[in-house]
Amino acid sequence: PPQEMFLGALACPRPMHGYHGHVGLWPVGKMHRASKKSKYHKKGEMYLKSCSMNKKLFIEYVTSKVIPKVIHDTKKWVNKIVIQFDNAGGHGGSHDRSKRTKDLLYDWVQAHQEKLKEMTGGTPPTIEFVSQPANSPDLNVLDLGAWWSLDTAVKEVRTKPANISWNTAV
């Protein structure tokens, strides 16, 4: 069966600001144009095709989905955003020998200060990136909470028998 990947982001809830801490859960994929008509797409229609996470895609998702969503939800009161990621290989961590993901994200923040000012309607918050040791469940909130819950739910759905009628009478 095909593997589906998701980028999930959570934040610390701030009830005093009415902030629930749910940032987002996005399927990982790239847009493709349907080359022919199928039951899922019309010919020429754009659709999201699943793919594996890599450093370039991770940076694209953080900068186009996570940061804008956090700013949208907190722009009235947040002064500092800390984005913590697990530094896994798909995020450009562990075995990656080129420029580190954190450095590229900081470069993006510096290059997009005007865009961040527009998004916040004033002075943008300080954005800090923190990477964890790869495969460290002791430090990884997503592994401890969100992914475990999602994994449990998906296994439960997969193991439920299909609605099959066993009536063999004709």
Side-chain angles (χ1 to χ4, degrees):
Q3 181 177 347
E4 297 292 326
M5 296 185 87
F6 293 86
L7 175 70
L10 304 170
C12 183
R14 299 285 193 244
M16 67 287 256
H17 296 290
Y19 184 62
H20 46 66
H22 306 151
V23 178
L25 183 65
W26 298 275
V28 175
K30 294 181 182 175
M31 295 304 291
H32 288 272
R33 186 173 305 280
S35 58
K36 58 185 179 180
K37 180 184 173 191
S38 75
K39 65 180 181 179
Y40 304 109
H41 317 284
K42 296 176 184 172
K43 181 178 180 178
E45 188 175 74
M46 297 298 290
Y47 68 98
L48 187 69
K49 184 175 180 180
S50 294
C51 66
S52 293
M53 181 65 81
N54 59 39
K55 179 169 64 174
K56 181 179 176 187
L57 196 56
F58 179 73
I59 291 169
E60 178 186 323
Y61 271 55
V62 169
T63 58
S64 69
K65 298 179 184 318
V66 177
I67 292 173
K69 180 69 165 89
V70 171
I71 288 175
H72 175 269
D73 292 349
T74 64
K75 66 181 167 189
K76 303 275 190 277
W77 52 269
V78 73
N79 295 321
K80 182 177 182 180
I81 297 171
V82 178
I83 297 177
Q84 180 176 325
F85 56 95
D86 66 8
N87 210 20
H91 305 161
S94 64
H95 304 295
D96 188 7
R97 301 281 183 250
S98 62
K99 194 167 187 181
R100 293 178 13 197
T101 301
K102 279 189 350 183
D103 297 333
L104 293 169
L105 287 166
Y106 280 121
D107 291 349
W108 183 91
V109 169
Q110 289 303 319
H112 292 85
Q113 283 297 304
E114 289 303 315
K115 180 179 180 178
L116 293 169
K117 284 180 186 176
E118 284 177 31
M119 291 168 70
T120 58
T123 305
T126 302
I127 301 177
E128 184 178 327
F129 300 98
V130 178
S131 58
Q132 303 169 172
N135 304 317
S136 175
D138 293 337
L139 301 173
N140 192 333
V141 174
L142 287 175
D143 284 345
L144 292 173
W147 296 132
W148 180 84
S149 298
L150 184 61
D151 189 47
T152 302
V154 170
K155 284 179 186 170
E156 182 179 312
V157 169
R158 284 189 202 142
T159 58
K160 284 184 181 176
N163 237 349
I164 299 173
S165 172
W166 294 101
N167 184 356
T168 55
V170 200

